[in-house]
Amino acid sequence: MSQCSLAIHMEPNAKRNEVIGFATGYLRLRMAVQADNVNFEYGNREIIAFLSEILGIQSDKISILQGKDQRIKLLGIDGLDAPQVREKLKPHMKG
């Protein structure tokens, strides 16, 4: 089975969830999660749900390997390799 890792940088306080694009080695995501009292558990669930929908995989195929309580995270993705992930993300990127 294919698998890969994906480094992301989550930017809170967005009006809606968006994929911005790749920058400095991270996938930038804007998430509609409030930063004033960042609840990382809620934010993590939102990130996984958002990416599972875009990638077309079940949410249990995405795990947070590092950074559970930080804005920069390393995700593990089962069922897709890195080129497949990039291809599925590309139509959703803003930049």
Side-chain angles (χ1 to χ4, degrees), residues 78-91:
D78 291 330
L80 298 171
D81 59 25
Q84 290 171 314
V85 169
R86 283 186 179 269
E87 193 63 33
K88 289 179 178 266
L89 288 169
K90 196 180 299 183

Side-chain angles (χ1 to χ4, degrees), residues 42-62:
Y42 173 75
N44 291 341
R45 285 194 310 266
E46 287 295 304
I47 290 167
I48 289 171
F50 178 58
L51 288 176
S52 68
E53 183 177 327
I54 288 173
L55 298 175
I57 59 175
Q58 295 177 348
S59 60
D60 65 352
K61 301 293 183 189
I62 301 175

Side-chain angles (χ1 to χ4, degrees), residues 5-35:
S5 59
L6 178 66
I8 66 162
H9 181 265
M10 187 270 290
E11 299 174 14
N13 299 324
K15 292 183 181 180
R16 64 180 180 278
N17 296 339
E18 310 181 276
V19 177
I20 303 305
F22 285 96
T24 62
Y26 298 100
L27 176 66
R28 289 181 51 218
L29 299 177
R30 286 194 184 132
M31 300 295 297
V33 176
Q34 298 305 310

